Amino acid sequence: MNLFQPEPRGAHTPRPTLRSDEPQGEVEKGSMALLEVENLSVTYAPRDAPVTRAVQDVSFRIREGEFVGLLGESGCGKSTLGNGILRLLSPPARISGGRVVLDGVDLTGADEERLRGLRWTNLSTVFQSSMNSLNPVLRIEAQFAETFAAHRVGEEVGARVVELLRMVSLDPGVLRAYPHELSGGMRQRVALALALALRPRLVLLDEPTTGLDVVVQRNILDRLATLRHELGFAVLFISHDLGTVLEMADRVMVMYAGEIVEDRPAPDLVREAQHPYTRGLLGSYADPRSAEVRVSYIPGRPPDLSVEQPGCRFTPRCPYAEDACGQRRPELRPDDGGLVRCLVAQDGRLPRTPAGAGPGLPVFVGFPAAAGLDRSADPPPEQAVGDPVLLVDDVTKRYTTRRGLRTTSVDAVRGVSLALRPGRVTALVGQSGSGKTTIARLVTGVERPTSGQVRFTAADSTTEVRVDRLRGRALRDYRRHVQMIFQDPFSALNPTRTVGYALSRPLVNYHGLRGPAVRERAAELLESVGLAPAGQFLDKLPHQLSGGQRQRVVTARALAPEPEILIADEPVSMLDVSIRAEILELLGKLVRTRRLAMLYITHDLLSARLLADEVLVLNHGDLVEQGPTLEVVGAARDDYTRLLLDSIPNPFSAARRPG
Amino acid sequence: MLYFVRRFAFFVATLWAAVTLNFLIPRLQPGDPAEAIVSRLAGRNEAIDPAQVRAVRIMLGAPDGSLLEQYVQYLGAVARGDFGVSYSYFPYSVTHMIGQTLLWTVILVGVTQVISFVVGTLLGTWAAYRRNSRVDSIITLGSTFLGTLPFFWLALLLIYVFAITLRWFPERGGYGGGSTPGWSWLFVSDAIQHSVLPATALLITGPIGWIIGMRNNMVQSLGEDHARLALARGLPRRRIALTYGARLAILPNVTGFAIALGGILGGTVLVESVFNYPGMGRLLLEAVSNRDFPLMQAIFLFTTIGVLVANFLADVLYGVLDPRVRRAEST
Ligand SMILES: Nc1ncnc2c1ncn2[C@@H]1O[C@H](COP(=O)(O)OP(=O)(O)O)[C@@H](O)[C@H]1O
Ligand code: SF4
Ligand SMILES: [Mg+2]
């Protein structure tokens, strides 16, 4: 049987899928909106902190079958808005005004039983972290079964579930599994299948692929696009990742500081964004394959929403701000083809996109371009680059695990060679599990290779150190020369210690500094990573800093022992896209001014393209491609490299769409 | 399956280690092991009574053979439950004395522990289900208040009100002077009469920890993403509370409960001495004050075994309840 025959429960007619060439953006006439959000406001009123107005006066509509993106940096209120629509807010959050109307029913006023009937049959959702969104002690099949049971769907449930799993390209075998037995990508597919189980009319996806590998993300996004065309459900797609949203959505709403600031069909947004914030976000993206790649960033952070602020909330970060912006609050007003909340744009005085900026090069006037990251310049001639400080020579690392009597062994890394040179960045690219981190561990001496050598030569010496043979004291001495910057700036710092303390440790341990000299040197370090004036930061605790600032502190700490090699393991992947370029710029500058050799580990080819001189692509422990960045990224020869490149969401595909 | 086999192997290994340590420690010291035990238990400065040394020597069995022979004999004795003769209850054997008191303790404390756990878990679940409501406040504040009362004070209050003033229940002991222990109706009802006050005291304080633990764990689980998604899926509130709240919240308590049960054998000194109840706790107290070393040794060994068995059962139960543990251990 066809699973998705109209249901007995509600006689809604099969819905035609919308095409993106229909007029959109403005309040639709004629066609009835599926979801209407009217002046919705949400506040957090915790007992021990000031009231935060996380969502303010938000209104929009979603039509049947429409795919709408909601874009914005983290902390702008996207999830809060989503949870408000889903009626999932719990204290201290509450809806402080407005309505959410789904298919004519006011969800904000509905009582619990009414709401329960509407849930999932009309409105379903996928959360960001599917690890936590499934019950850890129930098998997958039980979680499907309870969903059907809750809505009294009895017949042919088994066949249905198998069909649902097939739709998300999963084997029925996963039904017997517990959530923790599945990989992140598989869990996210299960979550998607679950969301479609009752054939909802609107699916709300909150960062559904954030944190997944590009290739996995690509599969899920492709499945989603196909299913949505087959089944015709509408989508509200929340993400901070511009590439994904612009590629997937028909229409994009941009949210800043609790408000919608722009709302426009995706192709128009790419071509001619009207709000300065949107332009700033667009500037942080570029196609890594273009001959010339330039990105910009938005300085600063979104404002604190517990403080009333007159005028436009983007003023402190806006390169187009005028005097009036600080006093008059702009309204969300229609312009041609969309809505925008900006005084200058509404007057038609916003500078146009620079001529000649085609897709792939969307840097707008005004935003600070990440200097020193313009890798299009000729690569420095080989002899200008010093001798390698570190050589990894034909290294293999085999891990043997014993399970009962059987032993299995995997080669995490097989026959890899690479060289790190002062003032140069070598990027190691690959999916998770491809062996990137193992190489980092071999370089730091934490692991020893099964075969092959790791050799280190300090800049001021000619003696070679065999890192793969170091032990005890000698190993500790060596570690001083190799410092790490980790992915998660939140867990890399002790939450109970001040920034000054974090920096003082290596200064005391490695340089034997004492007394006021420690603080002085710590202040210098902070200024060298752009945290100035340092006095402001020395006594702060990690939670008082933003993610970007924390990553700078972590970087300063890594610089403290004056290392020769810096290993950065996904240093920007947990940061907002809008500030990544800023951190990459810092790293690039440090490498060049301090003559550091950097091993940059990432699965993100754009950042590798921006920062690295040389790229190594790893696949299941094998080095599949290696060479100067532009050559590898611009003209990949290996299939796997091409797969990685093709998986990157491309917002400009929307611009290329007819429309 | 592998998980359970592993846990069992671990249990057997620790049990063996505990029993062996009990054998080795007195022998590691220079000199006569019996003397060593006596002086260890008696304290450095006291004179050693030769009679006691003799009693311990009997318990230790064949002190003349090689260490290995002694060890084999000792293991045999432990397996048979033969711990020698009690010094203070001569001529009764240690095993006899323990057998006399074990049942009293196991019944009184075991039953009240189980009831406390069940009641505590249910109340905690209810409070979490109706969190931030009046029910929640009454349960949480009430148990916090009761938790601040000292146990012996509560016990004495019960004795004063219900035994001395109202004369509803006997004041002390496990059974009346008139009845002879046995499985007669007369004796059993008398024993139940005697157990009411100590049981009440244990039941008032027992559930508090479980209530608070359960409530807090469950409120936390209900705030997690999977519970929110369950709500979004339109599952009935009650099902969410049970499968997404209580089912997960109870996991950490299961271990705590099993360990509490294991601790019964040694951990009831307070209640048994206040109510003068003929259980293991009081026996231990008497053994200590009478310097009855064979008895003390045996009780300590018993307690250790009790805790180990309880830990093993907790592991098994945890493995049954939480699929994540099974998997994590078997890889
Ligand atoms: N539990 C909470 N208590 C108080 N404030 C919160 C809480 N959760 C979120 N906020 C505030 O709400 C704002 C929006 O958060 P969120 O909706 O998570 O944004 P996004 O999904 O866009 O990252 C943030 O600025 C944050 O300060
Ligand atoms: S109103 Fe002014 S500050 Fe706000 S976005 Fe427009 S130009 Fe910038
Ligand atoms: Mg969010």
Side-chain angles (χ1 to χ4, degrees):
Chain A
M1 76 164 230
N2 179 359
L3 235 173
F4 294 100
Q5 291 288 300
E7 305 282 296
R9 73 188 141 74
H12 49 260
T13 44
R15 49 202 87 101
T17 17
L18 277 164
R19 247 162 283 126
S20 50
D21 50 5
E22 287 174 39
Q24 286 168 15
E26 282 179 69
V27 177
E28 293 80 24
K29 307 131 215 144
S31 83
M32 163 88 175
L34 172 62
L35 178 78
E36 284 175 76
V37 175
E38 293 172 10
N39 306 99
L40 190 71
S41 295
V42 179
T43 53
Y44 287 91
R47 277 193 202 138
D48 50 355
V51 174
T52 302
R53 308 189 60 189
V55 171
Q56 272 192 44
D57 218 10
V58 166
S59 304
F60 64 89
R61 293 169 173 216
I62 296 179
R63 286 179 297 169
E64 291 271 2
E66 196 180 10
F67 199 123
V68 178
L70 182 61
L71 184 65
E73 286 163 285
S74 57
C76 281
K78 306 180 302 293
S79 298
T80 308
L81 174 58
N83 287 329
I85 294 170
L86 293 162
R87 283 284 313 269
L88 288 180
L89 294 169
S90 54
R94 67 180 188 89
I95 293 180
S96 54
R99 299 201 304 160
V100 177
V101 181
L102 182 69
D103 202 20
V105 182
D106 181 358
L107 297 183
T108 26
D111 63 46
E112 209 181 310
E113 234 356 75
R114 181 80 200 272
L115 206 53
R116 199 175 80 70
L118 295 173
R119 287 184 188 283
W120 225 248
T121 56
N122 281 289
L123 174 59
S124 72
T125 182
V126 175
F127 292 157
Q128 172 177 352
S129 163
S130 51
M131 180 70 241
N132 303 326
S133 62
L134 297 169
N135 188 331
V137 300
L138 291 187
R139 289 183 201 275
I140 302 299
E141 61 189 346
Q143 312 206 27
F144 275 98
E146 66 182 2
T147 309
F148 285 118
H151 297 281
R152 303 188 198 294
V153 181
E155 83 289 0
E156 290 194 60
V157 164
R160 254 183 163 203
V161 175
V162 173
E163 167 69 11
L164 283 163
L165 290 176
R166 194 196 52 75
M167 291 190 324
V168 296
S169 329
L170 278 179
D171 185 89
V174 303
L175 286 173
R176 299 288 301 155
Y178 289 99
H180 68 267
E181 294 169 332
L182 305 177
S183 70
M186 284 163 92
R187 280 196 299 265
Q188 205 56 306
R189 283 163 211 249
V190 168
L192 184 58
L194 201 54
L196 301 179
L198 299 176
R199 202 195 177 194
R201 305 171 64 190
L202 176 61
V203 182
L204 196 154
L205 303 160
D206 190 350
E207 312 259 8
T209 58
T210 304
L212 299 176
D213 266 325
V214 275
V215 179
V216 179
Q217 163 171 304
R218 167 57 43 210
N219 286 334
I220 290 179
L221 293 179
D222 287 348
R223 274 326 300 167
L224 182 64
T226 316
L227 287 171
R228 176 242 167 170
H229 280 110
E230 280 171 21
L231 307 175
F233 51 84
V235 178
L236 178 58
F237 188 99
I238 300 178
S239 180
H240 72 270
D241 180 17
L242 176 107
T244 339
V245 172
L246 286 177
E247 183 193 303
M248 299 294 291
D250 302 325
R251 177 161 68 94
V252 176
M253 303 187 293
V254 181
M255 195 166 182
Y256 185 73
E259 297 176 323
I260 304 280
V261 295
E262 184 157 11
D263 182 339
R264 192 176 302 284
D268 298 359
L269 197 77
V270 174
R271 229 180 296 115
E272 195 70 81
Q274 286 304 311
H275 196 280
Y277 180 59
T278 318
R279 290 185 170 194
L281 291 176
L282 281 166
S284 62
Y285 182 89
D287 185 342
R289 280 173 281 200
S290 320
E292 224 182 314
V293 174
R294 231 181 291 140
V295 292
S296 60
Y297 57 88
I298 311 175
R301 292 294 300 149
D304 179 355
L305 295 177
S306 59
V307 184
E308 247 335 295
Q309 184 191 343
C312 172
R313 294 185 176 174
F314 192 53
T315 313
R317 305 172 75 188
C318 182
Y320 308 112
E322 301 175 345
D323 289 347
C325 300
Q327 282 117 44
R328 238 177 74 216
R329 160 144 294 166
E331 301 280 323
L332 189 63
R333 291 235 187 89
D335 64 357
D336 46 354
L339 300 166
V340 67
R341 187 193 294 275
C342 169
L343 299 173
V344 177
Q346 282 161 0
D347 284 357
R349 286 184 290 112
L350 212 62
R352 297 191 67 83
T353 313
L361 200 61
V363 171
F364 293 90
V365 226
F367 285 99
L373 287 179
D374 189 350
R375 311 299 314 140
S376 48
D378 288 347
E382 204 64 30
Q383 58 270 36
V385 180
D387 289 330
V389 278
L390 190 105
L391 280 169
V392 172
D393 190 4
D394 194 20
V395 154
T396 296
K397 176 70 194 176
R398 171 167 300 179
Y399 286 107
T400 312
T401 46
R402 227 159 50 91
R403 199 181 277 194
L405 297 175
R406 268 177 306 142
T407 56
T408 42
S409 54
V410 261
D411 288 347
V413 167
R414 213 172 298 117
V416 168
S417 301
L418 62 92
L420 300 181
R421 292 189 165 82
R424 303 263 289 172
V425 179
T426 303
L428 214 48
V429 179
Q431 277 177 278
S432 60
S434 59
K436 305 188 297 287
T437 302
T438 305
I439 293 183
R441 294 166 69 83
L442 292 168
V443 171
T444 51
V446 178
E447 296 275 2
R448 285 150 183 274
T450 313
S451 70
Q453 300 183 351
V454 180
R455 301 196 298 267
F456 170 75
T457 317
D460 52 2
S461 108
T462 46
T463 31
E464 216 176 49
V465 179
R466 283 288 296 274
V467 176
D468 50 299
R469 292 202 183 140
L470 292 177
R471 309 181 167 275
R473 183 71 214 244
L475 186 58
R476 271 200 302 283
D477 287 345
Y478 166 71
R479 291 249 173 86
R480 173 197 158 166
H481 301 295
V482 186
Q483 291 292 310
M484 298 267 316
I485 299 173
F486 295 100
Q487 176 175 21
D488 184 359
F490 298 84
S491 61
L493 293 171
N494 180 341
T496 63
R497 296 296 197 165
T498 62
V499 168
Y501 180 84
L503 294 178
S504 70
R505 292 300 300 277
L507 293 174
V508 172
N509 292 347
Y510 291 115
H511 298 302
L513 293 185
R514 294 285 177 273
V518 176
R519 208 176 153 83
E520 232 167 75
R521 183 81 189 98
E524 279 171 36
L525 283 168
L526 283 180
E527 306 214 334
S528 72
V529 296
L531 293 178
Q536 257 183 28
F537 295 98
L538 278 171
D539 297 312
K540 288 231 161 90
L541 290 170
H543 76 262
Q544 296 169 305
L545 303 175
S546 71
Q549 288 172 335
R550 268 182 257 207
Q551 200 57 296
R552 285 170 188 269
V553 172
V554 173
T555 307
R557 186 179 60 182
L559 293 177
E562 288 168 14
E564 307 206 11
I565 301 172
L566 213 50
I567 299 180
D569 193 345
E570 305 267 15
V572 296
S573 69
M574 294 192 59
L575 302 177
D576 254 305
V577 186
S578 54
I579 57 167
R580 281 184 192 173
E582 207 181 339
I583 299 292
L584 290 177
E585 176 188 39
L586 170 71
L587 293 176
K589 197 186 89 198
L590 290 172
V591 163
R592 276 156 196 108
T593 56
R594 299 186 167 230
R595 305 281 298 157
L596 293 167
M598 178 182 275
L599 183 62
Y600 178 71
I601 297 176
T602 187
H603 64 257
D604 170 24
L605 280 158
L606 173 60
S607 67
R609 171 79 165 83
L610 289 167
L611 185 61
D613 303 282
E614 190 193 17
V615 173
L616 281 73
V617 183
L618 273 180
N619 183 18
H620 292 299
D622 292 316
L623 207 56
V624 293
E625 191 153 359
Q626 174 172 20
T629 308
L630 190 56
E631 253 170 54
V632 173
V633 176
R637 275 165 290 135
D638 182 76
D639 287 344
Y640 179 72
T641 316
R642 274 202 294 272
L643 175 67
L644 285 179
L645 282 163
D646 292 340
S647 301
I648 302 172
N650 187 356
F652 304 104
S653 66
R656 288 198 288 269
R657 262 188 253 163
Chain B
M1 201 55 226
L2 192 58
Y3 168 80
F4 298 108
V5 173
R6 275 172 187 243
R7 295 328 298 168
F8 186 70
F10 181 73
F11 163 68
V12 171
T14 43
L15 185 62
W16 172 79
V19 168
T20 305
L21 277 180
N22 198 54
F23 167 83
L24 275 182
I25 287 173
R27 286 172 173 79
L28 283 178
Q29 284 142 323
D32 182 1
E35 255 175 59
I37 293 182
V38 174
S39 57
R40 173 161 60 91
L41 296 176
R44 238 166 250 290
N45 305 323
E46 307 215 2
I48 294 172
D49 180 349
Q52 292 184 354
V53 177
R54 222 173 305 122
V56 173
R57 194 166 289 139
I58 293 168
M59 172 207 109
L60 292 176
D64 316 314
S66 74
L67 203 61
L68 188 69
E69 279 168 23
Q70 291 181 34
Y71 183 56
V72 170
Q73 285 212 352
Y74 163 83
L75 283 186
V78 169
R80 285 192 308 276
D82 174 5
F83 296 100
V85 177
S86 161
Y87 174 71
S88 51
Y89 295 94
F90 190 82
Y92 288 115
S93 72
V94 165
T95 316
H96 173 84
M97 289 315 298
I98 289 180
Q100 284 283 299
T101 52
L102 189 62
L103 204 60
W104 290 96
T105 293
V106 167
I107 291 179
L108 174 70
V109 189
V111 169
T112 51
Q113 286 269 18
V114 171
I115 295 176
S116 294
F117 181 71
V118 172
V119 169
T121 302
L122 289 177
L123 284 178
T125 306
W126 192 25
Y129 182 56
R130 309 283 304 273
R131 59 189 174 286
N132 303 328
S133 72
R134 187 122 51 98
V135 174
D136 182 23
S137 315
I138 292 172
I139 293 177
T140 336
L141 292 178
S143 49
T144 312
F145 168 71
L146 283 179
T148 59
L149 302 178
F151 179 82
F152 73 90
W153 184 84
L154 198 75
L156 291 178
L157 186 72
L158 285 176
I159 294 176
Y160 179 74
V161 174
F162 295 102
I164 297 175
T165 312
L166 297 172
R167 301 198 153 276
W168 288 357
F169 300 104
E171 187 183 321
R172 58 208 319 271
Y175 50 92
S179 55
T180 24
W183 289 113
S184 69
W185 169 240
L186 204 67
F187 176 75
V188 170
S189 67
D190 182 46
I192 289 177
Q193 282 258 317
H194 277 80
S195 70
V196 169
L197 287 187
T200 310
L202 288 172
L203 283 178
I204 289 175
T205 51
I208 294 171
W210 306 127
I211 293 177
I212 307 280
M214 187 65 191
R215 181 202 175 267
N216 292 347
N217 290 345
M218 184 162 148
V219 165
Q220 201 190 341
S221 326
L222 287 177
E224 305 240 349
D225 273 358
H226 49 70
R228 287 177 46 238
L229 192 77
L231 185 63
R233 278 192 278 151
L235 301 196
R237 239 172 89 79
R238 190 175 303 214
R239 170 151 182 113
I240 298 174
L242 293 179
T243 343
Y244 290 76
R247 174 78 167 72
L248 294 164
I250 205 169
L251 291 174
N253 282 6
V254 165
T255 318
F257 175 58
I259 288 169
L261 274 188
I264 287 179
L265 298 186
T268 55
V269 179
L270 192 56
V271 66
E272 289 179 12
S273 51
V274 173
F275 290 95
N276 199 16
Y277 204 75
M280 291 271 285
R282 212 190 60 182
L283 187 68
L284 178 62
L285 208 62
E286 280 169 12
V288 170
S289 50
N290 293 328
R291 319 250 149 126
D292 187 344
F293 301 118
L295 192 53
M296 281 158 75
Q297 276 271 17
I299 292 178
F300 290 147
L301 189 62
F302 248 72
T303 315
T304 314
I305 293 173
V307 171
L308 289 179
V309 171
N311 259 314
F312 169 64
L313 291 179
D315 283 344
V316 169
L317 209 54
Y318 210 104
V320 171
L321 291 176
D322 191 344
R324 286 167 296 183
V325 185
R326 276 194 315 255
R327 148 80 181 246
E329 279 273 325
S330 60
T331 40

